[in-house]
Amino acid sequence: MKQKIIRRSFFQRDPLSCARELIGTDLIWGACAATIVEVEAYAAENDEAAHTFTRPSARAFIERNRPGAAYVYFNYGVHWMLNVLVKGEKNGFVLIRALEPKRGISMMRKRRHVDDVRQLCSGPGKLTQALGITRRDHEMDLCSDPRHCFLSRLSQAIDVVADRRIGITRSAHLDWRFTLPGSQFVSRPPH
């Protein structure tokens, strides 16, 4: 089966479905490629952990962008974070939390100053550093450019583990973190 670019229609539904189905897909970023092994879903409404709950700029981002746009922000003045916009039945975001590197590993090692391939992209700040993602990538369309996109899964049948999101205190009871079972590349094992 040949992998195809995931088109905008994939992101025109609810964040939970998108998050679950992004596990096992590939993220292409320039010369680098990696398989998505961990994500978190955030709802635009009634989710106190989402930026839309406290940031008018996040609500404005949803209004002016199409589904599949990159939402990149600087977290605690330390790390860039990559999210993808979901607009459909319910609006929200999917935070890309961890990747299994496949291509461009030497470039990722150079950017991260880390040799262990398991540590290159095992967290949302690590993966943006490894891929060279910054503010300049904010609002990029991730549904049309083969140099910056998601590719479909090689296998359609895949198990996914649902767990609580990491590093939040509000809406922390929701099992909206999704991981690839048994992956050594996740930021931390599921509970």
Side-chain angles (χ1 to χ4, degrees), residues 159-190:
D159 289 326
V160 175
V161 175
D163 196 6
R164 291 192 176 158
R165 296 178 291 188
I166 296 171
I168 59 171
T169 55
R170 295 176 291 170
S171 298
H173 64 286
L174 301 170
D175 288 340
W176 288 4
R177 173 183 173 229
F178 301 98
T179 58
L180 184 65
S183 174
Q184 298 177 338
F185 297 88
V186 295
S187 63
R188 66 174 82 151

Side-chain angles (χ1 to χ4, degrees), residues 19 22-28 33-42 80-83 94-102 108 112 117-131 133 150 166 177-190:
L22 276 172
I23 297 296
T25 65
D26 287 341
L27 174 62
I28 306 302
T35 300
I36 298 174
V37 297
E38 181 182 355
V39 297
E40 287 179 348
Y42 290 87
W80 293 104
M81 307 293 251
L82 173 64
N83 298 257
V94 177
L95 170 65
I96 310 302
R97 281 202 55 88
L99 306 170
E100 179 178 341
K102 292 173 71 174
M108 292 183 201
R112 290 262 305 120
V117 71
R118 292 171 300 172
Q119 295 301 314
L120 292 176
C121 299
S122 59
K126 292 177 182 181
L127 72 87
T128 54
Q129 184 181 23
L131 299 177
I133 296 171
F150 299 96
I166 296 171
R177 173 183 173 229
F178 301 98
T179 58
L180 184 65
S183 174
Q184 298 177 338
F185 297 88
V186 295
S187 63
R188 66 174 82 151

Side-chain angles (χ1 to χ4, degrees), residues 2 16 24 26 29 40 52 55-57 107 109 133 142 172:
K2 186 174 189 275
L16 290 175
D26 287 341
W29 208 270
E40 287 179 348
T52 50
R55 295 184 185 178
S57 61
M107 187 181 305
R109 283 182 168 136
I133 296 171
L142 300 177

Side-chain angles (χ1 to χ4, degrees), residues 64-142:
R64 74 175 172 269
N65 283 281
R66 296 167 66 188
Y71 176 58
V72 179
Y73 64 89
F74 207 46
N75 193 41
Y76 301 117
V78 179
H79 300 290
W80 293 104
M81 307 293 251
L82 173 64
N83 298 257
V84 61
L85 174 61
V86 177
K87 287 175 80 170
E89 297 169 23
K90 295 181 181 176
N91 296 340
F93 301 96
V94 177
L95 170 65
I96 310 302
R97 281 202 55 88
L99 306 170
E100 179 178 341
K102 292 173 71 174
R103 188 178 74 225
I105 294 172
S106 61
M107 187 181 305
M108 292 183 201
R109 283 182 168 136
K110 184 176 178 181
R111 287 176 178 148
R112 290 262 305 120
H113 308 287
V114 171
D115 286 328
D116 184 353
V117 71
R118 292 171 300 172
Q119 295 301 314
L120 292 176
C121 299
S122 59
K126 292 177 182 181
L127 72 87
T128 54
Q129 184 181 23
L131 299 177
I133 296 171
T134 65
R135 179 134 184 84
R136 74 177 179 280
D137 303 307
H138 183 59
E139 300 194 43
M140 180 186 289
D141 180 2
L142 300 177

